[in-house]
């Protein structure tokens, strides 16, 4: 101890069975502010023992006690109370999110509004889960009942920390599941603050548990635990593939949201001013740390030179700076590791393509993980900067000649999370929408995301859907019930 910064370091505990607890081994790790590179908190470094405790609490809460008896109406009310509390504490949560992740404060405020909306949406949906009557040919009543899947393991990334927690927890609670959530090692703070709201909202102990720590020591034991019935994962494709293997031995239900290399396609007849804004917003929002980032920008040749010039000129005006300043449009990247990764792609891009703007760090900033908004052009779609998820503010401009070529380039990656198409010709726009192999397609916009609409990818961007009615489906089983109405003996023997 000594400096003021060190004195401000706050010690957090993880949340198991309704209590804030240390890890079994009592070890901690530092959590940093990426704009200063200084520690702002210490968080328990959980491992399989802590996961065991959390899963046991979640299983006990699922099997007995008040939770299995809690009606859908009451689960809905709990979710509404959580939403209300998030709105009430939005200033504190936004500031903490912004400090911990580096995202601009204004974006963090939008995130908190979306968190609350997510809890409200699933609060309403909890009483709208319907079963079926099946038209079987027998003299019988055949029913399909919907039941919670059980204990859900939820592993989330650092780019939208509390929002990703909400996308996972809200539908699980609405469905009647219990949860073990692992936040990303870099950004656990808002989830731990949020844990303070759970008891007040009426959630019994053990329904939501939060284990902090690293992927291999705290995430992997969740993915392989025999008492976890379902794993919901958002993060990198490589870890997603490992999760599927870990979950296989106990045949867990798995949903994966693995990011992408999304094409943002601009035809020559698009509204030019909107197109430039849409290209910038699509790739630079949240410092480009977005799974659906429009990082491949496909531009029709007649407007390509003008587009490149206008986009680069406007990118140079993007204000990169401290995340807590309201004028900031791009904060630092989340960590040194991510900074090094994005810097290496900036250097790779200089070898693979031509640099229009950026390509390094802002000269006037001396500390923090800041990089410049970067645009490469004349990029071959086979280049690594056009194929690999960079997860930072690095755009690859690719020219195309016609609609068929645009679709061919757009679909030529292993990913298929999102895409956007810009044109005033609705026939052309809709032909392209149909031809794109992506789970989310925007027309004349990119990135707006609403809890009411399904979210998820094709191909190696994952499987399963979050948000909307599909989001709760992933936390439900279907039980077929056959009720014989024929009083006569079966008469077979
Ligand atoms: P990861 O996929 O490594 O992390 C996502 C989550 O998985 C974190 O909670 C992480 O834990 C956890 N995890 C890591 N390894 C394991 C494991 N073996 N078993 C179980 N859980 C594990 O992403 P990174 O944070 O390392 O980011 C790397 C790249 O992933 C980014 O550059 C980007 O390309 C992509 N990414 C995509 C996201 C998306 O939304 N699609 C979000 C974040 C990243 P912990 O971090 O605590 O170690």
């Amino acid at each position: 101890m000594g400096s003021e910064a060190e004195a401000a370091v706050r010690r957090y505990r993880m949340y198991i069975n309704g209590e804030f607890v240390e890890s079994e081994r009592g070890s901690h790790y530092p959590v940093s502010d990426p704009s200063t590179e200084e520690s702002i908190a210490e968080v328990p470094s959980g491992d399989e023992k802590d996961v065991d405790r959390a899963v046991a609490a979640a299983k006990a809460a699922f099997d007995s006690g008040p939770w299995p008896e809690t009606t859908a109406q009451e689960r809905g009310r709990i979710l509404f109370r959580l939403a209300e509390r998030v709105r009430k504490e939005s200033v504190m949560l936004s500031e903490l999110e912004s400090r911990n992740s580096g995202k601009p404060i204004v974006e963090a405020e939008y995130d908190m509004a979306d968190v609350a909306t997510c809890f409200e949406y699933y609060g309403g949906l909890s009483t709208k889960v319907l079963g079926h009557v099946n038209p079987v040919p027998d003299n019988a009543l055949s029913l399909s009942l919907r039941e919670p899947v059980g204990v859900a393991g939820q592993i989330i990334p650092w780019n939208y920390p509390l929002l990703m927690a909400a996308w996972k927890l809200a539908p699980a609670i609405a469905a009647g599941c219990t949860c073990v959530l692992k936040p990303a090692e870099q950004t656990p703070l808002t989830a731990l603050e949020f844990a303070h709201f759970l008891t007040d909202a009426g959630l019994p102990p053990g329904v939501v548990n939060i284990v902090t720590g690293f992927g291999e020591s705290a995430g992997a034991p969740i993915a392989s635990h025999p008492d976890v019935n379902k794993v919901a994962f958002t993060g990198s494709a490589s870890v997603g593939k490992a999760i599927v293997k870990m979950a296989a031995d106990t045949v867990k239900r798995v949903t994966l949201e693995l990011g992408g290399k999304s094409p943002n396609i601009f035809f020559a007849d698009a509204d030019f001013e909107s197109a430039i804004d849409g290209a910038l917003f699509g790739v630079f929002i949240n410092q480009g740390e977005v799974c659906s980032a429009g990082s491949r920008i496909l531009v029709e040749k007649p407007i390509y030179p003008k587009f490149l010039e206008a986009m680069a000129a406007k990118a140079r005006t993007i204000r990169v700076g401290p995340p807590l300043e309201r004028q900031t449009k791009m904060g630092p990247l989340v960590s040194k590791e991510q900074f090094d990764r994005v810097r290496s792609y900036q250097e790779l891009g200089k070898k693979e393509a031509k640099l229009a703007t950026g390509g390094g760090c802002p000269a006037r900033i001396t500390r923090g993980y800041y990089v410049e908004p970067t645009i490469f052009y004349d990029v071959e779609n086979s280049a690594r900067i056009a194929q690999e998820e960079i997860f930072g503010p690095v755009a690859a401009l690719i020219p195309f000649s016609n609609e068929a070529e645009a679709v061919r380039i757009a679909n030529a990656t292993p990913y298929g999370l999102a895409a956007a198409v810009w044109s005033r010709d609705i026939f052309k726009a809709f032909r392209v929408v149909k031809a794109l192999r992506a789970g989310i397609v925007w027309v004349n916009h990119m990135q707006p995301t609403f809890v009411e609409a399904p979210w998820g990818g094709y191909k190696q961007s994952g499987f399963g859907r979050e948000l909307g009615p599909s989001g709760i489906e992933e936390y439900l089983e279907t039980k077929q019930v056959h009720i014989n109405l024929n009083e006569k003996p079966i008469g077979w023997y």
Side-chain angles (χ1 to χ4, degrees):
M1 283 291 160
S3 78
E4 254 179 61
E6 279 173 315
V9 170
R10 182 168 157 202
R11 175 77 75 95
Y12 282 80
R13 288 182 289 176
M14 61 174 97
Y15 185 73
I16 296 178
N17 206 23
E19 291 179 0
F20 288 91
V21 295
E22 300 290 349
S23 69
E24 287 267 327
R25 289 187 210 279
S27 55
H28 288 77
Y29 70 93
V31 168
S32 305
D33 172 343
S35 70
T36 62
E37 306 176 32
E38 282 169 2
S39 283
I40 52 172
E42 283 189 350
V43 169
S45 180
D47 63 17
E48 74 280 0
K49 287 182 179 242
D50 303 295
V51 170
D52 279 347
R53 271 197 297 171
V55 173
K59 184 167 170 13
F62 184 79
D63 289 341
S64 57
W67 189 239
E69 307 301 323
T70 303
T71 62
Q73 285 90 339
E74 184 52 20
R75 296 200 300 273
R77 283 182 211 112
I78 289 169
L79 289 164
F80 285 128
R81 288 194 283 268
L82 286 172
E84 201 182 336
R85 189 72 183 273
V86 168
R87 289 196 196 284
K88 202 168 151 214
E89 307 282 359
S90 153
V91 171
M92 176 275 287
L93 291 169
S94 308
E95 283 184 12
L96 188 61
E97 196 81 302
S98 178
R99 271 189 94 196
N100 187 190
S101 69
K103 71 170 64 209
I105 181 71
V106 175
E107 291 184 35
E109 288 166 1
Y110 281 118
D111 284 7
M112 294 313 132
D114 285 348
V115 168
T117 306
C118 183
F119 283 108
E120 283 159 357
Y121 176 80
Y122 284 107
L125 202 62
S126 65
T127 53
K128 280 105 195 150
V129 173
L130 301 177
H132 290 288
V133 177
N134 305 308
V136 292
D138 231 353
N139 183 19
L141 188 58
S142 175
L143 306 176
S144 291
L145 306 184
R146 309 310 309 280
E147 298 187 339
V149 74
V151 176
Q154 305 174 317
I155 301 172
I156 57 171
W158 40 256
N159 55 342
Y160 287 88
L162 193 57
L163 189 57
M164 290 298 102
W167 283 23
K168 302 269 184 287
L169 295 174
I173 294 170
C177 290
T178 58
C179 308
V180 177
L181 176 86
K182 194 200 85 65
E185 74 198 45
Q186 301 87 347
T187 55
L189 303 187
T190 46
L192 292 174
E193 290 293 346
F194 172 81
H196 288 278
F197 311 160
L198 295 169
T199 307
D200 288 353
L203 216 60
V207 175
V208 169
N209 305 275
I210 301 176
V211 177
T212 51
F214 297 88
E216 285 186 2
S217 42
I222 294 176
S224 56
H225 201 291
D227 289 332
V228 170
N229 305 107
K230 178 228 158 73
V231 183
F233 172 79
T234 300
S236 60
S238 57
V239 175
K241 289 172 193 176
I243 297 271
V244 174
K245 289 179 190 150
M246 287 186 258
D249 275 346
T250 46
V251 195
K252 295 186 199 328
R253 284 89 187 102
V254 178
T255 45
L256 300 176
E257 204 272 81
L258 305 179
K261 195 71 192 175
S262 300
N264 199 357
I265 306 167
F266 295 90
F267 284 98
D269 65 352
D271 179 86
F272 191 78
E273 293 302 310
S274 309
I276 298 301
D277 270 354
L280 292 165
F281 188 77
V283 67
F284 294 141
I285 188 81
N286 206 48
Q287 302 79 239
E289 294 168 324
V290 180
C291 52
S292 55
S295 50
R296 287 186 303 144
I297 299 176
L298 279 51
V299 185
E300 203 168 17
K301 281 183 179 163
I303 59 164
Y304 182 75
K306 191 175 154 203
F307 191 104
L308 169 63
E309 192 182 271
M311 189 181 167
K314 214 162 181 184
R316 285 183 207 108
T317 69
I318 291 175
R319 193 178 167 116
V320 181
L324 287 170
E325 286 182 9
R326 298 200 71 78
Q327 299 79 4
T328 291
K329 288 283 194 287
M330 250 179 61
L333 299 177
V334 72
S335 64
K336 172 80 165 68
E337 190 186 354
Q338 192 63 10
F339 172 83
D340 289 342
R341 188 181 146 89
V342 173
R343 286 287 297 116
S344 75
Y345 277 107
Q346 285 178 321
E347 295 308 314
L348 176 67
K350 291 172 195 168
K351 294 183 196 124
E352 288 190 324
K354 297 174 187 156
L355 179 67
T357 188
C361 301
R364 67 197 157 78
I365 301 179
T366 53
R367 64 173 188 166
Y369 306 125
Y370 293 93
V371 295
E372 292 175 309
T374 297
I375 300 172
F376 291 106
Y377 67 104
D378 290 357
V379 182
E380 294 289 335
N381 194 49
S382 57
R384 282 182 57 201
I385 57 163
Q387 288 292 314
E388 296 174 16
E389 187 176 38
I390 298 174
F391 228 66
V394 181
L397 253 69
I398 303 172
F400 68 86
S401 303
N402 55 45
E403 188 181 322
E405 192 187 15
V407 169
R408 186 181 56 71
I409 296 171
N411 284 337
T413 77
Y415 291 111
L417 181 60
V421 53
W422 299 69
S423 169
R424 286 197 177 101
D425 176 346
I426 59 160
F427 299 101
K428 180 165 59 183
F430 268 75
R431 279 195 305 271
V432 174
V433 165
K434 281 191 73 180
L436 288 167
R437 300 280 299 151
I440 303 134
V441 183
W442 290 283
V443 177
N444 294 328
H445 211 323
M446 192 176 209
Q447 299 306 0
T449 302
F450 299 100
V451 66
E452 296 82 1
W455 182 270
Y458 286 16
K459 300 194 283 181
Q460 290 191 33
S461 289
F463 48 77
R465 291 292 177 273
E466 299 195 293
L467 305 186
S470 321
I472 198 167
E473 288 292 321
E474 305 285 359
Y475 289 93
L476 293 168
E477 293 280 20
T478 299
K479 179 180 281 173
Q480 189 232 110
V481 182
H482 180 95
I483 305 165
N484 174 33
L485 300 178
N486 193 347
E487 288 184 35
K488 289 185 193 150
I490 299 168
W492 187 262
Y493 299 106

